Amino acid sequence: MEFFNDVGSDPLKPSLFELVAQEQLRDLLQPALKYVLSVFAQRYPRYLLRIVNRHEEFYAFIMFFVERHFLRTHGASFSENFYGLKRRRRPLIEPERARAAVGGVFREERLRNRDIRKSLVFLIGLPYLRAKAQDYYEELGGGIDPELLEGSEGARQTRALTEETLMGKMRRAFKAIYPWANVTFECWLLLYNILYLFDRTPFHRPWLAWTGIDIRRLGLDDLVSGSALIAGRSQIRRTLLQRIRRLVLTSPRLLLDALKVLLPTAIFFIKFLEWWFSPSSPARALSTSPLGPAVPPPKLLPPHPQSLIPVDRITKFGMCPLCEQPIANATALPSGYVFCYRCAYGHIEQHHSCPVTLLPAQMWQMRKVLV
């Protein structure tokens, strides 16, 4: 990994791997917070159920203050600061000689209030709009077979799309355009990643080029400037009264700074609990159920005497009794026997019964077996 950190002639230019890593960390925060709220909402639904139902708005509201604090204090977003990166106003001409002669962080490169507002739009607003668009697409039944939409919810979605009103036409247009627009957007981001990887552009995202902001590594001058700022603050805190007053005034700021350690730790802890309580976890093998041994599955019904399938074909493990081939897309019938999906579908469509037990069976009674 050290090799990739030193790619190129500019030591402060971050590699594409660092930029992708900080984006992945940012994308993990929302599902982790939603998982925690969902768990607590089961115990306190009166207070948290509305927040879970409006999670995108709640997350955007919280992250607005977090990102705004880190942009003002550290000149970077939360995930960028965690990976030792910063944002700067990109100069028209790189003053390498002036930097070597003078040193320090140029004041012209620091983010202004206008730059912070632009960064917040793309850090908070753009992910929020994409999440809401994806939710609305799924609400319209996007990516789902219409035959699987049963009941009142599916009927409501079908009526909403078949309405000849202006809203119905707009819904159909959105459902048709959204997948292509989403693919185009992802290809656009991939193109910028490739251009950044081959030093064709200093920006790995198009909106950074629009705002004139690029992402850099924290250098020695940044660390010295931060240390000087801390030293200046420590001189102010001389008396106990001033220290208490400073602590009270800066307690929200200290809490936000602590998120740099607390949030990644919480994500790791949540993932650990998810693995520990999963069916494949060793905790399942080491612990015994307080309700006694597991209930064994029911026995298969015996074959019907008039069944056309011989018994030796039924007892072959992993083989479909109808086509005598390895089972493809395993599907179980109410009788408990497993067949290939195509074999079971064709037989039920023609005979409306199980081929082994001759018990009545319908299409909607077929169940996919996850192996």
Side-chain angles (χ1 to χ4, degrees):
M1 201 65 182
E2 294 296 333
F3 170 76
F4 294 109
N5 289 340
D6 296 333
V7 172
S9 58
D10 189 356
L12 296 182
K13 179 182 178 181
S15 65
L16 182 61
F17 304 96
E18 295 174 272
L19 298 175
V20 172
Q22 64 91 13
E23 288 186 348
Q24 289 180 347
L25 174 61
R26 185 179 61 199
D27 295 338
L28 281 175
L29 296 178
Q30 183 173 2
L33 180 60
K34 187 175 183 179
Y35 178 79
V36 173
L37 289 176
S38 301
V39 172
F40 282 99
Q42 296 178 2
R43 175 170 293 186
Y44 308 103
R46 181 179 178 181
Y47 305 101
L48 299 178
L49 190 58
R50 293 183 179 179
I51 297 179
V52 174
N53 294 335
R54 309 290 294 181
H55 174 71
E56 287 79 8
E57 289 76 7
F58 175 74
Y59 178 77
F61 177 78
I62 295 297
M63 291 305 297
F64 172 80
F65 293 99
V66 174
E67 299 290 12
R68 180 170 170 267
H69 166 76
F70 275 86
L71 287 171
R72 285 188 170 185
T73 307
H74 305 284
S77 65
F78 165 75
S79 57
E80 292 165 357
N81 180 258
F82 180 81
Y83 278 92
L85 305 175
K86 69 170 185 177
R87 295 190 172 206
R88 69 161 186 175
R89 300 179 67 251
R90 181 173 176 81
L92 298 178
I93 300 176
E94 291 287 346
E96 296 296 339
R97 295 184 178 180
R99 186 185 303 279
V102 179
V105 180
F106 289 170
R107 188 172 183 178
E108 293 77 9
E109 296 181 357
R110 297 177 181 176
L111 298 181
R112 301 175 182 176
N113 292 333
R114 182 177 59 182
D115 302 320
I116 293 176
R117 289 193 295 267
K118 292 179 180 178
S119 299
L120 288 175
V121 169
F122 293 104
L123 286 173
I124 307 299
L126 183 60
Y128 171 76
L129 293 178
R130 293 193 65 187
K132 298 300 291 185
Q134 179 66 28
D135 291 343
Y136 186 65
Y137 177 71
E138 294 178 355
E139 182 181 349
L140 295 178
I144 303 177
D145 189 354
E147 296 181 357
L148 299 179
L149 296 177
E150 300 178 357
S152 59
E153 183 67 19
R156 186 186 65 82
Q157 296 174 2
T158 304
R159 288 195 302 269
L161 291 176
T162 56
E163 290 178 354
E164 292 301 330
T165 61
L166 178 60
M167 290 300 299
K169 294 179 180 179
M170 293 178 63
R171 292 189 185 98
R172 290 196 298 271
F174 177 82
K175 186 177 179 181
I177 294 174
Y178 175 76
W180 296 101
N182 194 31
V183 170
T184 303
F185 184 79
E186 293 294 340
C187 293
W188 190 26
L189 299 184
L190 178 61
L191 176 62
Y192 262 82
N193 284 341
I194 296 175
L195 294 177
Y196 182 86
L197 184 63
F198 290 97
D199 291 331
R200 298 297 182 182
T201 177
F203 311 99
H204 79 291
R205 287 292 179 260
W207 46 83
L208 294 178
W210 300 340
T211 56
I213 299 173
D214 62 352
I215 298 179
R216 308 282 289 176
R217 291 193 184 121
L218 290 176
L220 181 60
D221 295 332
D222 299 290
L223 300 178
V224 172
S225 177
S227 300
L229 181 62
I230 295 175
R233 291 179 179 177
S234 62
Q235 293 178 359
I236 301 175
R237 306 172 186 174
R238 295 178 179 178
T239 63
L240 180 61
L241 181 62
Q242 290 178 341
R243 290 185 179 181
I244 296 176
R245 180 183 177 184
R246 189 74 176 181
L247 180 61
V248 172
L249 294 177
T250 60
S251 56
R253 184 175 300 177
L254 294 176
L255 177 61
L256 293 174
D257 286 334
L259 294 177
K260 184 168 55 176
V261 178
L262 295 178
L263 286 181
T265 305
I267 293 174
F268 172 78
F269 183 69
I270 291 171
K271 290 296 181 181
F272 174 78
L273 292 180
E274 184 179 355
W275 167 80
W276 184 256
F277 291 103
S278 63
S280 59
S281 171
R284 299 291 183 180
L286 297 177
S287 62
T288 58
S289 174
L291 302 178
V295 179
K299 295 182 180 180
L300 292 175
L301 297 177
H304 195 275
Q306 297 180 0
S307 175
L308 300 179
I309 301 178
V311 180
D312 56 344
R313 288 167 53 181
I314 300 175
T315 57
K316 289 184 179 180
F317 179 77
M319 305 296 291
C320 177
L322 290 174
C323 64
E324 300 185 44
Q325 299 294 330
I327 296 178
N329 197 3
T331 303
L333 299 184
S335 60
Y337 290 92
V338 180
F339 308 87
C340 299
Y341 176 78
R342 290 187 177 182
C343 300
Y345 185 91
H347 186 86
I348 292 178
E349 185 179 20
Q350 183 177 2
H351 301 283
H352 303 285
S353 63
C354 173
V356 178
T357 62
L358 302 185
L359 289 176
Q362 302 296 330
M363 295 294 184
W364 60 270
Q365 292 179 320
M366 296 191 304
R367 294 292 182 267
K368 182 178 178 60
V369 179
L370 301 177
V371 181

